[in-house]
Amino acid sequence: MPHPETWWKDAVVYQIYPVSFLDSNGDGFGDLNGITSKLDYLQDLGVNVVWLSPIYKSPLADMGYDISDYRDIDPRYGTLDDWDKLLAGLHGRHMKLMMDLVVNHTSDEHAWFEQSKSAKENPKRDWYIWRPPKYDVDGNRRPPNNWKAQFQGSAWEYDETTDEYYLHLYHTKQPDLNWENPDVRQAVWELMRFWLDRGCDGFRMDVINLISKVEGLPDAPITIPEDEYQDATEFYANGPRVHEFLQEMHSKVLSQYDIITVGETPFTHSASELARYVLPANKELNMVFQFELVDLDSPRTAQRMPFIHRPWKLSEFREIVGRWQTFKRDEGFWNAVFIENHDQGRSVTRWGNDADAWRVLSAKMLAMLEVTLGGTQYVFQGQELGLRNFPRSWGIEEYKDVASQNIYHEILEQRRKRESGGTGEEDSQIDMSDIMDGLQMKARDHGRIPMQWDATGHAGFTTGTPWMRVNDDDYPHWNAALQLDDTSSVRSFWKNALRLRKEHQVLIYGDFQDLDPQNEDVFAYTRTYRGVRAVVALNFTSKDIVFNLPSGEIMPGISPLFGNYPVGNGDVQGNELKLRPYEGTVYLSTPDTAT
Ligand code: TEU
């Protein structure tokens, strides 16, 4: 199938979480100059675009996703001059820079919000979502509706100055902007132009599907009766005006630049719902980060429980992958291929096997999955090293993310009340081990620990005191310096795999077909493009497996392209493909031999 090929389709995007990448001045926080000093490392890996998680001025209530000034760099990360130097360093290497655009909400310390909250008559009052209190039968003041915030508690915060509540879908320090107000939209278009005109090459748009809320902000249905506040995502995810707003963004800003755009679209598993953001005919975004795959190992309950781990099956995993790989390709739907980011546990821990015996092999096998799927490729910092989650032995105090802290303490409080018969007395004996098990697997903190550069103190991340504990058991023997020198390392494998992806367009653009949808052990599929066929087989287990290739013309004329075992590459005899534990293998036909 023909594909209009544009630069962002075959690009490899590397996500940097700046606070944890590299600290150049010893203050314990990663910074822009640290990133600039590692551009050769990124170029060597095969990176084309760097996406920076937010580096704007921020009180860091949600690690920079709470912005108090969109047009300046937080002093922890550096200055606008440092940003210009980083950009020049990237452009000088023919790499590009994508910024994080966080405009569903600002920080409560943003000047807009400070004005908005100062008085009902303030011209910026309507830039945020304010509502008067409700009162219950006993005359107690209550929030305007029962919506629950993503970081627990009510989605409304009372403000005494004007005796009203403001809406915050996330942290209390992240008030939601009122996109209904055209002045807000205008201000967003202007700040986008500010960065584009300064030279940035695109945006990753934070929770962009939440910017339009259902009119009237009605109460959510009660799905968890024992909870005071209820999941209300259906009232704000993909709301009534979101496409109108994005089309306006496209016509006013995006269409005037040659850039990459990716929208983050949580709480939505339906491909048809998300198609509207992506299909070129709609003139909105290039692609979205859909959450269906990374939500697979969460309980399927009315209440979202992203930090509880649910065992998953390969048949479920491949069904999701296959559906998105084949969705509306004829209409130009384009995927963002990712399995890690700063909100996720490490992929080798969640989807592979991070035990010492299997870590290297399964991290490479997952790399093979990523580079053989169609779409724009995203790699998260440390993923190229096969970094794994930090150990179960770490206490809750090592989890710095507000999401982890809030969920832990909310549950602790509930258990205290229950166990002390409602008196709320303290009891240090409360068992929280199940919650710690979940956090060890799923907490956002695992993607946020300092990068493991070398075996020197604090993993070479800082000469000072790191803002977050480094994975001290791991980094002395698991770091970039060691892996750069080792041709059999996960990093060397990623480098080679990204190069092969670039060389073989079938891996980026090919049509996808699952070879055995019910198979719970081996994920095998073909990709076909312009007469070339790739056959991929990935053993997701620690067993030796004989995979029976479907009869027919799958393998003739096909030869091994690459695999993750030091010797050999998937042993094929007739229809039988023998795979060792976590073995992955890719075969490729030449145009002449393809069927
Ligand atoms: O995340 C959106 C989001 O809702 C989830 O990915 C989030 O991790 C989950 O709800 C936790 O339960 C984006 C950012 O990536 C994240 O870091 C921010 O905290 C969030 O938006 C708010 O800006």
PDB file of all heavy atoms in Angstrom, residues 92 214 244 258 315 343 348 360 366 392 420 464 506 555 585:
ATOM      1  N   GLY A  92      22.887  20.889  14.305  1.00  0.00           N
ATOM      2  CA  GLY A  92      24.216  20.690  13.714  1.00  0.00           C
ATOM      3  C   GLY A  92      24.474  19.221  13.395  1.00  0.00           C
ATOM      4  O   GLY A  92      25.309  18.899  12.555  1.00  0.00           O
ATOM      5  N   VAL A 214     -17.483  18.111  29.036  1.00  0.00           N
ATOM      6  CA  VAL A 214     -18.913  18.071  28.692  1.00  0.00           C
ATOM      7  C   VAL A 214     -19.632  19.260  29.324  1.00  0.00           C
ATOM      8  O   VAL A 214     -19.389  19.600  30.482  1.00  0.00           O
ATOM      9  CB  VAL A 214     -19.539  16.732  29.160  1.00  0.00           C
ATOM     10  CG1 VAL A 214     -21.045  16.803  29.202  1.00  0.00           C
ATOM     11  CG2 VAL A 214     -19.079  15.593  28.269  1.00  0.00           C
ATOM     12  N   GLU A 244     -12.764  20.324  17.206  1.00  0.00           N
ATOM     13  CA  GLU A 244     -12.850  21.720  16.735  1.00  0.00           C
ATOM     14  C   GLU A 244     -11.612  22.504  17.229  1.00  0.00           C
ATOM     15  O   GLU A 244     -10.974  23.229  16.454  1.00  0.00           O
ATOM     16  CB  GLU A 244     -14.136  22.326  17.306  1.00  0.00           C
ATOM     17  CG  GLU A 244     -14.314  23.790  17.027  1.00  0.00           C
ATOM     18  CD  GLU A 244     -15.406  24.388  17.931  1.00  0.00           C
ATOM     19  OE1 GLU A 244     -16.331  23.654  18.369  1.00  0.00           O
ATOM     20  OE2 GLU A 244     -15.306  25.608  18.206  1.00  0.00           O
ATOM     21  N   ASP A 258       6.767  22.822   9.275  1.00  0.00           N
ATOM     22  CA  ASP A 258       7.007  21.414   8.939  1.00  0.00           C
ATOM     23  C   ASP A 258       7.479  20.710  10.212  1.00  0.00           C
ATOM     24  O   ASP A 258       8.679  20.652  10.497  1.00  0.00           O
ATOM     25  CB  ASP A 258       8.090  21.331   7.848  1.00  0.00           C
ATOM     26  CG  ASP A 258       8.430  19.882   7.507  1.00  0.00           C
ATOM     27  OD1 ASP A 258       7.587  18.997   7.762  1.00  0.00           O
ATOM     28  OD2 ASP A 258       9.549  19.651   7.013  1.00  0.00           O
ATOM     29  N   SER A 315      -1.966 -13.559  24.046  1.00  0.00           N
ATOM     30  CA  SER A 315      -3.061 -13.432  23.061  1.00  0.00           C
ATOM     31  C   SER A 315      -3.728 -12.064  23.177  1.00  0.00           C
ATOM     32  O   SER A 315      -4.149 -11.480  22.177  1.00  0.00           O
ATOM     33  CB  SER A 315      -4.090 -14.547  23.243  1.00  0.00           C
ATOM     34  OG  SER A 315      -4.555 -14.574  24.568  1.00  0.00           O
ATOM     35  N   ASP A 343       5.879   7.701  32.521  1.00  0.00           N
ATOM     36  CA  ASP A 343       4.709   7.353  33.345  1.00  0.00           C
ATOM     37  C   ASP A 343       4.566   5.842  33.507  1.00  0.00           C
ATOM     38  O   ASP A 343       3.543   5.367  34.008  1.00  0.00           O
ATOM     39  CB  ASP A 343       3.417   7.865  32.693  1.00  0.00           C
ATOM     40  CG  ASP A 343       3.327   9.375  32.644  1.00  0.00           C
ATOM     41  OD1 ASP A 343       3.935  10.036  33.507  1.00  0.00           O
ATOM     42  OD2 ASP A 343       2.638   9.891  31.745  1.00  0.00           O
ATOM     43  N   VAL A 348      11.224  -4.181  30.334  1.00  0.00           N
ATOM     44  CA  VAL A 348      11.803  -5.518  30.558  1.00  0.00           C
ATOM     45  C   VAL A 348      11.202  -6.151  31.815  1.00  0.00           C
ATOM     46  O   VAL A 348      11.044  -7.364  31.897  1.00  0.00           O
ATOM     47  CB  VAL A 348      13.350  -5.445  30.605  1.00  0.00           C
ATOM     48  CG1 VAL A 348      13.851  -4.722  31.857  1.00  0.00           C
ATOM     49  CG2 VAL A 348      13.964  -6.833  30.510  1.00  0.00           C
ATOM     50  N   VAL A 360      18.990  -9.573  29.573  1.00  0.00           N
ATOM     51  CA  VAL A 360      19.567  -9.129  28.304  1.00  0.00           C
ATOM     52  C   VAL A 360      18.737  -9.671  27.141  1.00  0.00           C
ATOM     53  O   VAL A 360      18.326  -8.926  26.236  1.00  0.00           O
ATOM     54  CB  VAL A 360      21.037  -9.585  28.167  1.00  0.00           C
ATOM     55  CG1 VAL A 360      21.531  -9.380  26.753  1.00  0.00           C
ATOM     56  CG2 VAL A 360      21.916  -8.825  29.152  1.00  0.00           C
ATOM     57  N   LEU A 366      12.294  -7.534  23.227  1.00  0.00           N
ATOM     58  CA  LEU A 366      11.325  -6.430  23.184  1.00  0.00           C
ATOM     59  C   LEU A 366      11.780  -5.330  22.228  1.00  0.00           C
ATOM     60  O   LEU A 366      10.954  -4.679  21.569  1.00  0.00           O
ATOM     61  CB  LEU A 366      11.100  -5.864  24.593  1.00  0.00           C
ATOM     62  CG  LEU A 366      10.333  -6.802  25.534  1.00  0.00           C
ATOM     63  CD1 LEU A 366      10.372  -6.260  26.972  1.00  0.00           C
ATOM     64  CD2 LEU A 366       8.885  -6.989  25.085  1.00  0.00           C
ATOM     65  N   ARG A 392      12.085  -4.250  44.955  1.00  0.00           N
ATOM     66  CA  ARG A 392      10.926  -4.308  45.846  1.00  0.00           C
ATOM     67  C   ARG A 392      11.298  -3.859  47.256  1.00  0.00           C
ATOM     68  O   ARG A 392      10.451  -3.394  48.022  1.00  0.00           O
ATOM     69  CB  ARG A 392      10.394  -5.744  45.837  1.00  0.00           C
ATOM     70  CG  ARG A 392       9.286  -6.060  46.813  1.00  0.00           C
ATOM     71  CD  ARG A 392       8.012  -5.289  46.498  1.00  0.00           C
ATOM     72  NE  ARG A 392       6.912  -5.711  47.356  1.00  0.00           N
ATOM     73  CZ  ARG A 392       6.746  -5.308  48.608  1.00  0.00           C
ATOM     74  NH1 ARG A 392       7.599  -4.472  49.149  1.00  0.00           N
ATOM     75  NH2 ARG A 392       5.724  -5.752  49.306  1.00  0.00           N
ATOM     76  N   SER A 420      -9.189   0.280  62.715  1.00  0.00           N
ATOM     77  CA  SER A 420      -9.360   0.832  64.060  1.00  0.00           C
ATOM     78  C   SER A 420     -10.837   1.116  64.317  1.00  0.00           C
ATOM     79  O   SER A 420     -11.177   1.921  65.174  1.00  0.00           O
ATOM     80  CB  SER A 420      -8.533   2.105  64.198  1.00  0.00           C
ATOM     81  OG  SER A 420      -8.998   3.026  63.236  1.00  0.00           O
ATOM     82  N   GLY A 464      26.697  15.674  42.823  1.00  0.00           N
ATOM     83  CA  GLY A 464      26.044  16.123  44.058  1.00  0.00           C
ATOM     84  C   GLY A 464      25.141  15.041  44.620  1.00  0.00           C
ATOM     85  O   GLY A 464      25.410  13.847  44.478  1.00  0.00           O
ATOM     86  N   VAL A 506      10.290  -1.959   4.897  1.00  0.00           N
ATOM     87  CA  VAL A 506       9.181  -2.855   5.215  1.00  0.00           C
ATOM     88  C   VAL A 506       8.896  -2.833   6.718  1.00  0.00           C
ATOM     89  O   VAL A 506       7.748  -2.982   7.139  1.00  0.00           O
ATOM     90  CB  VAL A 506       9.485  -4.292   4.714  1.00  0.00           C
ATOM     91  CG1 VAL A 506      10.722  -4.880   5.380  1.00  0.00           C
ATOM     92  CG2 VAL A 506       8.294  -5.209   4.910  1.00  0.00           C
ATOM     93  N   MET A 555       7.986 -18.994   4.317  1.00  0.00           N
ATOM     94  CA  MET A 555       9.434 -18.893   4.425  1.00  0.00           C
ATOM     95  C   MET A 555      10.240 -19.000   3.125  1.00  0.00           C
ATOM     96  O   MET A 555      11.382 -18.536   3.120  1.00  0.00           O
ATOM     97  CB  MET A 555       9.958 -19.937   5.425  1.00  0.00           C
ATOM     98  CG  MET A 555       9.454 -19.722   6.848  1.00  0.00           C
ATOM     99  SD  MET A 555       9.772 -18.075   7.514  1.00  0.00           S
ATOM    100  CE  MET A 555      11.437 -18.277   8.141  1.00  0.00           C
ATOM    101  N   THR A 585      13.623 -13.576  16.271  1.00  0.00           N
ATOM    102  CA  THR A 585      14.307 -13.737  15.000  1.00  0.00           C
ATOM    103  C   THR A 585      13.508 -13.029  13.915  1.00  0.00           C
ATOM    104  O   THR A 585      12.281 -13.019  13.939  1.00  0.00           O
ATOM    105  CB  THR A 585      14.541 -15.237  14.716  1.00  0.00           C
ATOM    106  OG1 THR A 585      15.171 -15.363  13.451  1.00  0.00           O
ATOM    107  CG2 THR A 585      13.259 -16.019  14.725  1.00  0.00           C
TER     108      THR A 585
END
